Amino acid sequence: MTKDSRAKRDARALQERTGGSYVASRRVTSQPTAARFNEDQCANCMQRLAPQIEGLFCSELCGQYASTVRYWRRIVRDGRIDNPDVRVALNVRIAHLLAGGYARRARHLPDETRAQVWRRDENRCRTCGAPGSEIDHIADDSPDLANLQLLCTACHRKKTESRMSPASNEQQQAMNKIYRERVVPDQPMLLCDDQQEWASTEAGLRAERRGRLLDELAEYGYDRREFPGYSWQDMWDAVLDEAEEDDFDANGIDDDSGFGPDSYFARAMAKDD
């Protein structure tokens, strides 16, 4: 299949899904969509990554956007998008994104805590009494047992859907844009949108970024081993703070807020007139 015929096919598919005109759909699918990835930029939003960030995304939210796009692309292509349960799962993912992301790390529960919840609730859904299947945070991200309950899949879904707020017009437009530009085209717009390529290259790209940052750290005169117990972010915060202080000292700036020996104030006071 030629590039032009593929674009026409994608345009007809996009027109059918969105209800738009063929001309508008053709304009979208004719745009170059080669997978993009720029080192030291966020793989999702393409913003410059600070050295305090060791990974490939500027935030957990951006990582979740990329993961949702890959999931969305996959279920569209394998036909599961027509399954009501799968569509609900997609809508829940999108709702989490629009709410600022899912606090995955904060909501992670140790195996011991999970076992306690199952024992306390006697393997039954706290809402309907059916066999339980999922542990639910009742109010917030707290891992306290009082904030955890066992639910069946149906009750958990019902509770999740009841808390989902309708998307604003602006949010709907943003999701439609992602759908048109990153889900519909056969050729992924970004490398992180490509399920197979991302799975095979992500670890290597992370290792390459870490290597570049360690080289940059060496240029500052430091070694990672000099910071035992420091997180990656805390280490870089300390290095950059010290570099900034050294820069101030090198330029003759002291702690008197602009009144140092090389300041405008000092030069003005030194004039005879």
Side-chain angles (χ1 to χ4, degrees), residues 6-210:
R6 184 182 298 110
K8 290 180 179 178
R9 182 198 63 188
D10 290 344
R12 287 191 291 271
L14 177 60
Q15 180 187 19
E16 182 179 348
R17 290 167 182 151
T18 63
S21 68
Y22 175 79
V23 173
S25 300
R26 185 74 170 86
R27 188 180 300 118
V28 171
T29 59
S30 297
Q31 295 175 353
T33 55
R36 292 189 297 130
F37 176 84
N38 295 329
E39 62 182 31
D40 301 326
Q41 291 183 352
C42 176
N44 179 70
C45 71
M46 309 301 286
Q47 295 297 313
R48 185 76 178 174
L49 293 173
Q52 290 94 329
I53 299 174
E54 187 178 5
L56 303 176
F57 296 100
C58 64
S59 65
E60 187 175 9
L61 178 60
C62 262
Q64 291 176 9
Y65 262 97
S67 176
T68 297
V69 168
R70 290 195 299 274
Y71 175 73
W72 202 347
R73 287 177 58 84
R74 190 163 66 251
I75 62 176
V76 165
R77 280 155 182 76
D78 63 22
R80 285 184 297 148
I81 188 68
D82 296 325
N83 183 316
D85 290 341
V86 174
R87 185 172 288 277
V88 168
L90 173 64
N91 289 338
V92 169
R93 280 175 172 251
I94 292 175
H96 281 309
L97 295 179
L98 297 180
Y102 180 76
R104 191 181 307 278
R105 295 177 183 175
R107 286 181 168 241
H108 175 74
L109 298 174
D111 291 341
E112 180 180 354
T113 301
R114 299 180 65 85
Q116 288 178 312
V117 175
W118 279 85
R119 285 196 301 270
R120 184 200 63 193
D121 292 346
E122 299 179 342
N123 301 336
R124 293 287 177 178
C125 173
R126 288 268 292 270
T127 298
C128 72
S133 59
E134 303 170 10
I135 295 178
D136 170 59
H137 287 73
I138 297 174
D140 50 34
D141 297 335
S142 171
D144 292 342
L145 284 176
N147 189 51
L148 302 174
Q149 64 180 347
L150 190 61
L151 296 178
C152 65
T153 300
C155 287
H156 198 183
R157 178 190 301 169
K158 184 176 180 180
K159 177 189 173 186
T160 300
E161 291 179 336
S162 69
R163 296 191 173 190
M164 291 169 57
S165 301
S168 66
N169 289 335
E170 183 179 356
Q171 290 173 330
Q172 290 178 359
Q173 292 174 5
M175 286 295 104
N176 288 339
K177 186 174 188 293
I178 288 177
Y179 178 74
R180 291 193 309 269
E181 297 181 357
R182 297 176 63 178
V183 176
V184 171
D186 279 347
Q187 180 68 21
M189 177 179 172
L190 301 176
L191 180 61
C192 65
D193 296 344
D194 191 313
Q195 182 72 29
Q196 294 182 340
E197 287 295 319
W198 188 247
S200 63
T201 61
E202 179 187 11
L205 294 172
R206 276 193 283 108
E208 291 173 6
R209 171 164 171 76
R210 179 180 173 86

Side-chain angles (χ1 to χ4, degrees), residues 181-241:
E181 297 181 357
R182 297 176 63 178
V183 176
V184 171
D186 279 347
Q187 180 68 21
M189 177 179 172
L190 301 176
L191 180 61
C192 65
D193 296 344
D194 191 313
Q195 182 72 29
Q196 294 182 340
E197 287 295 319
W198 188 247
S200 63
T201 61
E202 179 187 11
L205 294 172
R206 276 193 283 108
E208 291 173 6
R209 171 164 171 76
R210 179 180 173 86
R212 288 192 299 274
L213 290 173
L214 290 175
D215 290 341
E216 184 177 346
L217 187 68
E219 293 177 3
Y220 280 101
Y222 298 99
D223 186 276
R224 179 70 174 110
R225 291 167 294 186
E226 298 176 39
F227 298 88
Y230 278 61
S231 68
W232 186 269
Q233 178 173 341
D234 289 344
M235 174 188 71
W236 271 103
D237 284 341
V239 169
L240 295 178
D241 285 347

